[in-house]
Amino acid sequence: MRRKVTIVGAGNVGATAAHWIAEKELADVVLVDVMDGVPQGKGLDLTEAMPIEKCDVSIIGTNDYSATAVSDIVVITAGIARKPGMSRDDLLITNYKIVSDVVGKVVAASPDCILIIVSNPLDAMAQTAYRTAGLPRERVIGMAGVLDSARFRTFIADELKVSVENVTALVLGGHGDTMVPMPRYSTVAGIPITELIAPERLAELVQRTRDGGIEIVKYLKTGSAYYAPSAAAVEMVEAILKDKKKILPCTAYLKGEYGISGYYIGVPCKLGAKGLEQIIEIKLTAEEDAALKKSAEAVKELCAVIGV
Ligand SMILES: NC(=O)c1ccc[n+]([C@@H]2O[C@H](COP(=O)([O-])OP(=O)(O)OC[C@H]3O[C@@H](n4cnc5c(N)ncnc54)[C@H](O)[C@@H]3O)[C@@H](O)[C@H]2O)c1
């Protein structure tokens, strides 16, 4: 029997995530949205691409949660995206209402599912989902670090004119202006990038990574990035469905790790069939530790506004 992934929100990120999942033949997909006809149309359109792509998966679009029953994974992309002049935090109240509503519905239909949260502001929405779902932290994980690290990897590869395959990078912290790119733990074919790129230039790449989302928003004007964000969410889906035990930077609920308790923040995680299988604690310098704690404080402030 094929695995089943539900994606809530058939907008740019959700529909493109469905595209990557189908094209990789990972699972059957159910796309859910409040807009009548949009998930149905996109689902049918994608289904009609499958003979060309030689993939046997079904993609159903619906407004009805009964079709989502017994999903292995549910990816939450429902909500509004930012436009020029907006920060991710400006989405807080609207997306809090949407995310708490849809999480209640998907968990009622799929009590054993693993939730991957994508809606922004990411860390506060992961916390919202965790509080609403009542699932263990192993089954409520947020996507941000894979995207932020992919952006950092892109900029490093371009700077050094090397294959993106050679570049690994780590970005910790919240998904916002306080995110913490970690040059010491970012490498090219195993060589720390601190050996290859001068500090001043590296600082510019770090800043471009922090501004990676807004750089795209400024170009698009009507919405935010979706190809890389959806690919990032699907890397997490694949790691779980294939029980890969893959280490990825994900947003996880901390219970004392990194000296932080009771909040979602981006840390290195092992993803496998059980969802979040381990949080890897790496040694931080005093400066890195302070940056992570500052980022956690920013998340805490947002969570206080919505009381989660
Ligand atoms: N975590 C990350 O790194 C990351 C990256 C990119 C985007 N995002 C976030 O993902 C979210 C989606 O972005 P997008 O570009 O796909 O936006 P979009 O506007 O294209 O799509 C959002 C979809 O959600 C739907 N929706 C709204 N309320 C709903 C509800 N109650 N139930 C079901 N569906 C509902 C809308 O109808 C729309 O189709 C935004 O909040 C955005 O900020 C996060």
Side-chain angles (χ1 to χ4, degrees):
M1 215 173 94
R2 290 201 292 256
R3 312 296 293 279
K4 181 169 172 180
V5 176
T6 286
I7 300 173
V8 186
N12 284 335
V13 177
T16 315
H19 183 176
W20 295 116
I21 291 173
E23 182 246 23
K24 288 170 187 269
E25 219 176 25
L26 292 178
D28 288 339
V29 179
V30 180
L31 261 178
V32 189
D33 204 287
V34 278
M35 303 257 284
D36 184 29
V38 170
Q40 290 86 345
K42 290 188 181 182
L44 180 59
D45 190 10
L46 260 175
T47 302
E48 290 166 356
M50 292 303 107
I52 304 165
E53 290 299 308
K54 306 176 190 67
C55 293
D56 287 299
V57 291
S58 94
I59 306 116
I60 297 168
T62 180
N63 310 111
D64 176 3
Y65 282 82
S66 62
T68 72
V70 209
S71 293
D72 295 286
I73 298 179
V74 178
V75 183
I76 306 290
T77 75
I80 52 166
R82 58 186 173 148
K83 299 196 172 69
M86 288 173 95
S87 82
R88 294 182 182 91
D89 297 356
D90 293 332
L91 313 174
L92 183 69
I93 306 293
T94 305
N95 283 357
Y96 164 69
K97 289 181 190 147
I98 293 172
V99 169
S100 43
D101 175 48
V102 303
V103 164
K105 289 174 178 156
V106 290
V107 173
S110 303
D112 297 324
C113 74
I114 292 171
L115 288 171
I116 297 177
I117 312 304
V118 179
S119 308
N120 272 320
L122 190 272
D123 311 85
M125 289 306 104
Q127 182 101 351
T128 298
Y130 177 67
R131 298 279 185 234
T132 311
L135 299 177
R137 71 165 176 173
E138 288 72 19
R139 296 204 274 129
V140 185
I141 315 162
M143 187 294 290
V146 177
L147 169 65
D148 297 328
S149 304
R151 286 180 172 150
F152 196 22
R153 289 166 69 189
T154 305
F155 305 147
I156 294 165
D158 186 46
E159 177 70 13
L160 296 172
K161 302 288 176 259
V162 297
S163 165
V164 288
E165 281 186 62
N166 278 147
V167 185
T168 64
L170 184 60
V171 177
L172 303 182
H175 185 52
D177 300 338
T178 60
M179 75 176 72
V180 191
M182 300 281 288
R184 283 194 317 124
Y185 286 103
S186 302
T187 66
V188 174
I191 307 160
I193 56 165
T194 45
E195 304 281 318
L196 301 170
I197 304 175
E200 311 75 52
R201 181 64 186 141
L202 198 44
E204 287 171 9
L205 301 188
V206 163
Q207 193 54 44
R208 189 172 175 200
T209 302
R210 285 205 184 98
D211 297 337
I214 201 67
E215 187 176 0
I216 308 272
V217 169
K218 280 184 186 156
Y219 279 124
L220 294 181
K221 295 181 185 70
T222 53
S224 59
Y226 53 100
Y227 289 112
S230 55
V234 171
E235 185 175 28
M236 293 170 66
V237 167
E238 184 171 21
I240 294 168
L241 289 180
K242 294 186 176 171
D243 193 22
K244 285 180 81 79
K245 316 289 186 199
K246 198 169 192 177
I247 311 291
L248 294 168
C250 302
T251 304
Y253 186 78
L254 299 190
K255 296 180 179 174
E257 295 88 355
Y258 292 93
I260 298 165
S261 220
Y263 289 95
Y264 271 82
I265 198 92
V267 289
C269 296
K270 187 199 281 179
L271 297 193
K274 297 191 179 79
L276 170 68
E277 297 194 348
Q278 191 188 346
I279 291 174
I280 318 284
E281 286 195 78
I282 53 172
K283 275 198 185 144
L284 302 180
T285 63
E287 201 182 331
E288 289 161 352
D289 185 57
L292 189 64
K293 298 271 164 52
K294 186 179 163 206
S295 193
E297 280 307 311
V299 173
K300 217 167 164 176
E301 279 173 27
L302 283 188
C303 290
V305 175
I306 49 176
V308 295

